[in-house]
Amino acid sequence: MICAISGEAPEDPVVSKKSGLLFERRLIERFIQDHGRCPVTKEELTMDDIVPVKTEKIVKPRPLQAASIPGLLGMFQNEWDALMLSNLSLEQQLHTARQELSHALYQHDAACRVIARLKKERDEARLLLSQAERQLPAETAPALSNGKRAVEDVVGPDGKRIRPGIDSATVDELAEYNKMLSAQRKQREIPETLAPIDALERYTQISSHPLHKTNKPGILSIDIHPSKDLIATGGVDTNAVIFDRASGQISSTLTGHSKKITSLKFVGRDELFITGSADKTVRLWQGNDDGTYNCAHILKDHTAEVQAVTVQATKKYFVSASMDNTWCFYDLSTGTCLKQVGEPAQDGYTTAAFHPDGLILGTGTSDSLVKIWDIKTQAFVTNFEGHSGPVTAMSFSENGYFLATAASDGVRLWDLRKLRNFRTFSPYDANTPTNSVEFDFSGSYLGIAGSDIRVYQVANVKLEWNLIKTFPDLSGTGKVTSVKFGADAKYMAVGSMDRNLRIFGLPGDEADNQTTDME
């Protein structure tokens, strides 16, 4: 009796009721379990159709080859050959699998690279589209002001842009505003709410806020809103950040410039904000009700880095100064350059500031000169000489008489009535420039920033200006770039070459402000 599947004599024979065929039980059980039919006739078959066959147990005879030593050796040789052939087949399969895996990994890596490149191109395209959308209103549809369309640039025969100029009506407006401010200044008194000297002596760092990117650290400019508790910082990372001091949160991040932001200013009306950048452009931003800002105008009148922007007293005009040795007088309502003063030269302007009365403009140059201009005629009035190295910063006092300028050799104080230098501070060594100088709004204190921050008490021309306190540079960079006094000198905002905005004031003031804001 032979099994219909194996062709050998079964050890546990069973027979099919349907076909009468003989099978080995374990083989037919497995086949029925896998396929549910007879392996020979292909008919449906279950275990109920299988009947065991009762036979006598027999001992299988030894195979003929195993009956002798040469036969056994032959069997072993055959088994060894089969093993070696199987091993070779497995090695070939392994080699093929490795090649397929390597090819798949290469394809995966290439696909990831392509995806990353496409994502980068998509992000760049989105950024360009966003910039184009912001620029479109300013370039294709000049803004309307008092029913008049903004004047478009006209190029003369020499290739230079012809500016509309500052008309007599504007000059009269500036003169009238100057007269009003001068009269108010004579009656002006130091406010009772001004922080006293003993309070400044106790100032310390009360908060630090990481506002800019870690891969491009550095805050180059700071401004404080004249009526709101907002601080603006311009960074090396090309972004301007509007920070709400009361809540301790970022109100808005302004992106669009392609290089570092060198100067920025709150206008103080109509939620307008100005930034100047090393990318040769000035941007005029319009604030929204939710605290965000949209770019209203991109001004491309300069051919080199824009180093300073300063707002005129009427808050209707502003000036930008550039390393192309020109300064531009703009109408804020239209973004129009009314006048560009100066000729392109190697030595350009490094800083600029308006006198509080609005008819005098001060500019600092890279060849250490301080120049004074008459805005009504746009004429050069006088030079202040004496600095060494580029003039890095300047600030007019609200008393209208003093001008402070900073350069590599320190700070010089100028009397605008007699046009002379009456005092000099040299707080640092020759290798450490003074980066920032700032009067507070009351004209009572003067802040100086270089490798640290120093605050002086403002006196007159004859009396000594006393050092109130020296604050260390807590950034660890050794370069403080800007310092600004808050309202009534109740705090100071400090920027350094790290990414943190630091607030100095009386301990506990920051917590009180945040508690008041939550209430």
Side-chain angles (χ1 to χ4, degrees):
M1 295 189 296
I2 303 299
C3 174
I5 297 176
S6 65
E8 296 180 356
E11 295 181 358
D12 187 7
V14 293
V15 65
S16 171
K17 294 180 181 179
K18 293 185 177 180
S19 64
L21 294 174
L22 188 70
F23 300 101
E24 177 73 55
R25 175 184 286 275
R26 59 183 177 80
L27 296 178
I28 191 63
E29 283 182 351
R30 183 178 301 173
F31 195 89
I32 291 175
Q33 183 179 357
D34 293 341
H35 303 284
R37 64 175 183 271
C38 177
V40 178
T41 63
K42 308 301 181 183
E43 296 178 350
E44 291 186 2
L45 193 65
T46 64
M47 289 304 299
D48 295 333
D49 299 325
I50 299 301
V51 177
V53 178
K54 295 183 179 180
T55 60
E56 296 292 335
K57 296 293 182 180
I58 60 173
V59 178
K60 288 186 177 182
R62 180 178 298 177
L64 183 61
Q65 293 178 344
S68 64
I69 292 178
L72 289 174
L73 292 176
M75 289 177 57
F76 294 155
Q77 182 66 48
N78 292 336
E79 289 291 333
W80 175 259
D81 293 343
L83 180 62
M84 291 299 101
L85 290 174
S86 176
N87 187 50
L88 176 62
S89 176
L90 290 175
E91 289 182 351
Q92 290 176 341
Q93 293 177 7
L94 176 62
H95 180 69
T96 302
R98 283 178 174 174
Q99 288 182 327
E100 292 176 352
L101 178 60
S102 175
H103 184 65
L105 291 175
Y106 176 79
Q107 287 182 323
H108 178 266
D109 183 65
C112 290
R113 291 175 182 271
V114 171
I115 292 171
R117 179 174 57 83
L118 291 176
K119 284 185 176 180
K120 182 179 179 181
E121 292 177 355
R122 179 202 63 186
D123 294 341
E124 291 175 350
R126 285 178 175 174
L127 179 60
L128 291 174
L129 178 61
S130 175
Q131 293 176 354
E133 289 176 347
R134 291 174 178 175
Q135 188 174 352
L136 190 61
E139 293 189 345
T140 63
L144 299 180
S145 175
N146 298 326
K148 297 182 179 180
R149 193 172 182 80
V151 180
E152 298 181 3
D153 289 337
V154 179
V155 179
D158 57 355
K160 297 181 179 178
R161 296 177 181 175
I162 299 175
R163 306 298 184 183
I166 303 176
D167 57 26
S168 58
T170 302
V171 171
D172 292 342
E173 178 188 14
L174 298 180
E176 187 66 26
Y177 206 81
N178 171 268
K179 183 178 179 181
M180 180 188 69
L181 290 176
S182 297
Q184 291 178 354
R185 182 163 288 106
K186 294 178 181 179
Q187 304 173 359
R188 181 172 165 272
E189 296 180 356
I190 296 178
E192 296 180 358
T193 54
L194 180 69
I197 294 176
D198 61 340
L200 268 73
E201 291 175 342
R202 292 182 287 122
Y203 278 7
T204 184
Q205 179 178 308
I206 56 178
S207 63
S208 177
H209 309 278
L211 305 184
H212 291 270
K213 296 180 180 178
T214 55
N215 59 341
K216 290 183 178 180
I219 294 175
L220 301 181
S221 182
I222 288 179
D223 195 33
I224 298 176
H225 197 286
S227 60
K228 296 181 179 181
D229 205 0
L230 299 177
I231 303 174
T233 61
V236 178
D237 61 359
T238 74
N239 294 335
V241 176
I242 310 296
F243 176 75
D244 188 335
R245 190 178 75 95
S247 65
Q249 301 294 323
I250 294 176
S251 175
S252 181
T253 299
L254 284 56
T255 61
H257 284 292
S258 59
K259 293 185 179 180
K260 62 185 179 181
I261 293 179
T262 54
S263 181
L264 45 75
K265 287 289 180 183
F266 285 106
V267 175
R269 71 168 183 88
D270 298 338
E271 301 300 328
L272 294 174
F273 183 69
I274 309 167
T275 56
S277 169
D279 63 7
K280 307 177 187 178
T281 68
V282 176
R283 288 181 178 244
L284 182 59
W285 306 80
Q286 176 64 61
N288 302 314
D289 294 337
D290 59 357
T292 60
Y293 284 78
N294 296 326
C295 182
H297 296 282
I298 301 177
L299 312 175
K300 301 180 179 180
D301 299 287
H302 291 292
T303 58
E305 293 186 7
V306 177
Q307 290 291 318
V309 292
T310 177
V311 180
Q312 204 269 343
T314 60
K315 299 179 182 178
K316 296 181 180 180
Y317 309 96
F318 77 95
V319 161
S320 64
S322 168
M323 288 297 290
D324 63 7
N325 199 39
T326 68
W327 55 267
C328 293
F329 187 87
Y330 288 98
D331 184 345
L332 270 167
S333 61
T334 63
T336 303
C337 177
L338 301 179
K339 187 70 175 179
Q340 187 166 14
V341 180
E343 294 294 332
Q346 184 176 2
D347 296 323
Y349 295 118
T350 52
T351 184
F354 266 111
H355 186 275
D357 291 343
L359 288 185
I360 296 175
L361 174 70
T363 58
T365 69
S366 58
D367 55 354
S368 69
L369 292 178
V370 177
K371 295 184 176 183
I372 304 299
W373 304 81
D374 182 358
I375 289 298
K376 291 190 294 183
T377 60
Q378 304 92 60
F380 168 72
V381 177
T382 187
N383 270 339
F384 289 153
E385 299 180 355
H387 276 300
S388 63
V391 179
T392 55
M394 62 169 46
S395 177
F396 286 94
S397 171
E398 280 293 322
N399 65 16
Y401 303 141
F402 298 150
L403 168 64
T405 58
S408 300
D409 57 348
V411 174
R412 289 178 178 267
L413 298 173
W414 309 88
D415 186 347
L416 298 177
R417 295 165 293 186
K418 298 183 179 181
L419 301 180
R420 68 181 183 89
N421 171 223
F422 68 90
R423 185 161 279 100
T424 300
F425 298 115
S426 299
Y428 312 115
D429 57 46
N431 297 322
T432 305
T434 304
N435 301 311
S436 179
V437 61
E438 185 75 18
F439 285 102
D440 79 305
F441 184 74
S442 70
S444 302
Y445 303 116
L446 177 70
I448 296 174
S451 59
D452 55 26
I453 308 103
R454 304 186 182 204
V455 178
Y456 290 83
Q457 180 186 7
V458 174
N460 56 32
V461 174
K462 296 181 180 180
L463 296 179
E464 189 67 25
W465 294 37
N466 296 320
L467 176 63
I468 297 175
K469 186 170 183 178
T470 299
F471 301 90
D473 172 30
L474 300 178
S475 70
T477 62
K479 188 175 182 181
V480 182
T481 56
S482 50
V483 58
K484 286 280 184 180
F485 288 95
D488 291 331
K490 292 294 180 62
Y491 70 92
M492 294 190 304
V494 175
S496 304
M497 285 308 292
D498 64 349
R499 67 193 190 105
N500 294 323
L501 168 67
R502 290 178 168 81
I503 307 296
F504 287 79
L506 288 175
D509 280 0
E510 189 77 3
D512 293 342
N513 285 339
Q514 293 183 7
T515 302
T516 302
D517 183 65
M518 287 187 292
E519 292 175 352

